[in-house]
Amino acid sequence: MSQPLPKNADARSKYSTVDKAADISIRNRSELVLACAQVLHTNGQSTHETVQAAERLGSELGLRVMVIPRWEALELRAHDSIDTQISFKPGSPTSVNMDRVASAMTTIENPDAGRLAIDAALENIKVIAHAPPASTWLFTLAAAAGAAAMAAIFGVRHLKAEVLIVLSAAAGAVLRRTLARYSANTLLQPFCAAVLAGMIGALAVRYNLSSSLRLVAVCPCMILVPGPHVLNGAMDLIAARINLGASRLVYAGLIILAISVGLLLGMGLLSVGLPVGEPGRVVSLWLDVIAAGVAVAAFSVFFSIPLRMLGWPVAIGMLAHALRWGSLKAGTGIATGALVACLSVGLILTPVARRWRMPFAAIGFASVVSMMPGLFLFRTASGLVQLTNNSNANFDLLRATIADAMSAITVILAMSFGVVAPKIIIDRFGGSATPRDRDSPVSLISAPSCALPATAMQCSGSSAGKSAVRNKQDSQSRLDNSGEPNSGIATGRRT
């Protein structure tokens, strides 16, 4: 027996067949779809891709589904020709683990996903949801390499300062992993790591091991900036998902605030401040490109990107930094340079992600997140503190603070538009069919079957067979509505 697909399904996949569909309740099928969507939603996948993947899996299971993502939970509304199911699962998108996202997407895109037993598929999703992040030693190594690469991009000049940056970032990474064992507070880890970096940076200033840029203090904090949350929030706002987009940006803002407060507190404990409006340093093209590749690889480890996908973000990230460097060399502003670089990333990686079935969030975020204006954000916070504490603050300090704030805002906006706009355009005009849909004329049809109209069942010529199926659905509906625990789930017959 087969079920009608959503109206927007591929015309070549007119009907979807699920083994023994009459014996699989809508509740179990909805639970599988919602479990997959939860893994994607809570581990950094973009909202658009999450909704599309859930709808595609629902179609393969003979359901029409609507996913409503919120900050604190996911709501799923599913229905077939008989029943309607409304389900909820808690979960906030505070984590970024692209290994889980890629595994869940592979499961959904697998042509045999719809034929798997529901229980087996749910167990598989549970295993994916609890896949561990990168090991502590690899995470620490990535933090040290990423901070050193960011220091090279911003023009560090002395080997002693570079060594201090590496040690500070590594110590911060170990501290973050240690705190994660005892507290689930997602703001505590970046705050404590920033305090440590600020104290080490202040000691470096005291012993003349750091320049006026304070890179020893700043660079270990720059790898803490939540770039994926900022970009995901911007994508949601562009798609008019106002509540979710605003929630993502508020969460990212809280993390940035925690980092800024920790950095300034750590430096302030030793009576050292972070200068505002310091001019940046120009580095050579080859150094900028190589350092960008190292930084992208480090961020890829932070996001737990599978190794098979690592080549794309590293290569595209190096290209993007080369374009940014060329734009700055031509006299454009930093926002224009970021826009040019991110447009190239979006134009190249969108078709790559579609062709090779890679989550765009995984390779896209890692390619550009090293351009996030963390330095300007920290300087803005420092300028605001100085303006608050100094009643005789001059106009130059106010102007420099405003300039740093506007630079940070324009760069974030330019990056968000540059990454998101090409993806939206290509998805809109290029269609959303997956390679599997294009290669297979009929999706998930393992045996000849007939349609299931809304008014009658035509697969069975026996009225007894039809009655048995209806009685089974009625029994399931009564069980769900009477005695079985069903937290957060509502079931009813569609009329």
Side-chain angles (χ1 to χ4, degrees):
M1 182 176 63
S2 60
Q3 303 281 1
L5 293 183
K7 295 180 180 179
N8 58 357
D10 194 314
R12 292 168 296 181
S13 301
K14 185 176 180 181
Y15 302 115
S16 176
T17 299
V18 182
D19 287 350
K20 301 180 182 179
D23 296 328
I24 303 176
S25 69
I26 186 175
R27 179 181 178 182
N28 292 340
R29 287 178 284 163
S30 298
E31 184 179 359
L32 175 59
V33 175
L34 191 55
C36 292
Q38 184 189 37
V39 172
L40 299 177
H41 179 65
T42 58
N43 286 285
Q45 177 67 301
S46 64
T47 306
H48 175 73
E49 299 290 344
T50 299
V51 171
Q52 272 198 340
E55 291 177 349
R56 189 160 54 247
L57 180 58
S59 297
E60 294 174 352
L61 295 174
L63 298 174
R64 294 182 181 179
V65 302
M66 175 187 295
V67 179
I68 305 176
R70 300 186 179 93
W71 174 256
E72 70 283 353
L74 277 175
E75 178 182 348
L76 177 72
R77 300 179 181 180
H79 62 273
D80 57 14
S81 62
I82 299 176
D83 284 340
T84 296
Q85 179 89 8
I86 301 178
S87 311
F88 301 87
K89 269 190 179 295
S92 298
T94 57
S95 300
V96 180
N97 191 317
M98 291 301 162
D99 186 27
R100 297 174 185 172
V101 170
S103 298
M105 291 295 292
T106 299
T107 300
I108 294 172
E109 294 292 346
N110 187 345
D112 292 329
R115 303 190 187 102
L116 292 177
I118 297 295
D119 292 340
L122 282 172
E123 287 299 321
N124 186 32
I125 291 297
K126 289 179 181 179
V127 171
I128 292 174
H130 293 89
S135 59
T136 300
W137 71 267
L138 182 58
F139 183 80
T140 303
L141 179 62
M150 297 301 293
I153 291 173
F154 282 91
V156 67
R157 292 179 176 176
H158 303 290
L159 180 60
K160 293 181 180 179
E162 187 82 11
V163 172
L164 284 175
I165 290 171
V166 170
L167 294 177
S168 176
V174 174
L175 178 61
R176 290 162 62 191
R177 281 297 176 89
T178 302
L179 291 173
R181 300 175 183 174
Y182 302 100
S183 174
N185 191 322
T186 54
L187 302 179
L188 181 62
Q189 299 175 37
F191 172 77
C192 293
V195 171
L196 178 61
M199 294 176 63
I200 295 176
L203 288 173
V205 172
R206 285 287 187 89
Y207 292 97
N208 296 320
L209 298 176
S210 181
S211 66
S212 59
L213 291 177
R214 304 291 193 264
L215 294 180
V216 175
V218 169
C219 289
C221 294
M222 292 179 66
I223 62 175
L224 305 175
V225 176
H229 297 298
V230 174
L231 295 176
N232 258 334
M235 293 171 68
D236 285 336
L237 290 181
I238 292 175
R241 295 185 178 95
I242 305 300
N243 292 336
L244 182 56
S247 298
R248 288 184 189 271
L249 292 181
V250 168
Y251 176 69
L254 289 175
I255 295 179
I256 294 173
L257 179 61
I259 298 170
S260 301
V261 171
L263 172 62
L264 298 179
L265 177 61
M267 299 182 71
L269 291 176
L270 297 177
S271 302
V272 176
L274 180 63
V276 180
E278 285 290 324
R281 294 171 182 168
V282 179
V283 298
S284 59
L285 175 60
W286 67 270
L287 180 60
D288 186 79
V289 171
I290 294 176
V294 175
V296 172
F299 281 108
S300 299
V301 174
F302 297 156
F303 305 154
S304 299
I305 294 180
L307 292 179
R308 68 180 185 277
M309 300 182 184
L310 190 59
W312 280 108
V314 170
I316 302 303
M318 295 173 70
L319 174 62
H321 269 262
L323 293 174
R324 176 176 174 269
W325 187 92
S327 299
L328 295 177
K329 195 70 173 178
T332 63
I334 56 174
T336 304
L339 177 61
V340 171
C342 292
L343 279 173
S344 66
V345 170
L347 288 171
I348 296 174
L349 289 185
T350 299
V352 167
R354 287 161 55 90
R355 175 64 181 85
W356 299 105
R357 304 183 188 179
M358 294 186 291
F360 179 81
I363 56 180
F365 293 162
S367 300
V368 302
V369 75
S370 59
M371 301 181 192
M372 291 299 295
L375 180 59
F376 294 106
L377 293 171
F378 303 149
R379 286 178 176 176
T380 299
S382 177
L384 292 175
V385 171
Q386 294 180 46
L387 289 171
T388 303
N389 295 334
N390 187 1
S391 58
N392 298 320
N394 54 33
F395 179 74
D396 290 338
L397 176 60
L398 177 61
R399 182 178 59 183
T401 302
I402 295 175
D404 285 337
M406 293 306 299
S407 297
I409 293 173
T410 53
V411 169
I412 291 175
L413 291 176
M415 290 180 61
S416 302
F417 178 81
V419 173
V420 174
K423 176 172 175 53
I424 292 177
I425 294 173
I426 293 175
D427 286 345
R428 174 65 178 82
F429 294 100
S432 58
T434 62
R436 170 171 55 84
D437 296 329
R438 292 191 298 268
D439 295 340
S440 177
V442 180
S443 175
L444 291 175
I445 296 183
S446 57
S449 63
C450 52
L452 179 63
T455 57
M457 295 184 185
Q458 297 179 356
C459 286
S460 173
S462 170
S463 60
K466 293 183 288 184
S467 176
V469 172
R470 289 190 179 114
N471 291 337
K472 188 175 184 65
Q473 297 287 356
D474 292 339
S475 299
Q476 179 65 38
S477 179
R478 287 193 298 271
L479 181 61
D480 290 340
N481 289 322
S482 57
E484 186 174 340
N486 195 11
S487 177
I489 299 178
T491 305
R493 180 172 303 282
R494 191 179 66 178
T495 59

